[in-house]
Amino acid sequence: QTEVLTLVTNSLKVDLENNNQYIQALSLIAIGNLATQDMARDLASDVEKLLRSTNSYLRKKACLATIRLLKKEPDLIDHMAERIMSLLKDRSHGVLITGMQLMIEVLAILPEWKDEFLKLTPSLVRLLRNF
């Protein structure tokens, strides 16, 4: 079983680095549905790279995959904190909505982050009103 998981993880890693956005997105969808705790640790840095993508479609998919990764490995939250905060300032409607879902999941795991997210409330309201 561990050999199969290793093969799947490596295959997903290769797909995340593909030049085709749809192959990358499909890999992110698979991570969002299938990731185990070990896969979460192994793929977190690759998914985080796509959270910085200039392509809003990939940022949205990476955000959804991050929800699964953080559920499986909550220790990754501290590592991804800056990136999570920046998603809540994104100008893309889809990314902003998925960023808010990610924020809700982070608060379910670590309620002590409430104060950090409260600081972003005025800018979130402003962004949502302007869409």
Side-chain angles (χ1 to χ4, degrees):
Q1 184 181 4
T2 55
E3 290 174 14
V4 172
L5 286 176
T6 303
L7 289 171
V8 169
T9 302
N10 289 337
S11 178
L12 290 171
K13 204 175 253 269
V14 167
D15 288 346
L16 287 173
E17 294 171 7
N18 196 296
N19 290 330
N20 185 325
Q21 71 174 351
Y22 299 110
I23 293 174
Q24 289 176 312
L26 189 57
S27 181
L28 289 167
I29 292 167
I31 291 167
N33 287 310
L34 304 172
T36 63
Q37 189 175 19
D38 291 333
M39 289 170 84
R41 279 192 298 270
D42 294 341
L43 297 170
S45 61
D46 297 304
V47 173
E48 187 179 11
K49 280 181 203 166
L50 290 174
L51 285 172
R52 292 188 188 108
S53 173
T54 56
N55 183 330
S56 63
Y57 175 71
L58 288 176
R59 282 196 313 274
K60 180 179 77 171
K61 296 295 183 185
C63 188
L64 292 171
T66 301
I67 292 171
R68 173 70 176 223
L69 297 181
L70 297 182
K71 282 182 176 180
K72 291 295 179 179
E73 187 58 55
D75 294 340
L76 294 172
I77 292 173
D78 291 331
H79 176 69
M80 295 185 159
E82 246 181 78
R83 185 59 26 214
I84 293 169
M85 296 296 191
S86 70
L87 290 169
L88 296 172
K89 298 173 186 171
D90 201 287
R91 298 295 303 162
S92 166
H93 189 255
V95 175
L96 187 59
I97 295 297
T98 55
M100 289 175 62
Q101 184 62 42
L102 178 57
M103 176 188 70
I104 291 166
E105 295 298 332
V106 167
L107 288 171
I109 297 167
L110 292 173
E112 61 268 19
W113 273 59
K114 181 179 77 169
D115 293 334
E116 292 298 317
F117 288 123
L118 277 175
K119 294 174 190 172
L120 298 172
T121 303
S123 63
L124 270 172
V125 171
R126 202 170 21 259
L127 278 170
L128 289 170
R129 277 191 182 154
N130 290 334
F131 279 117

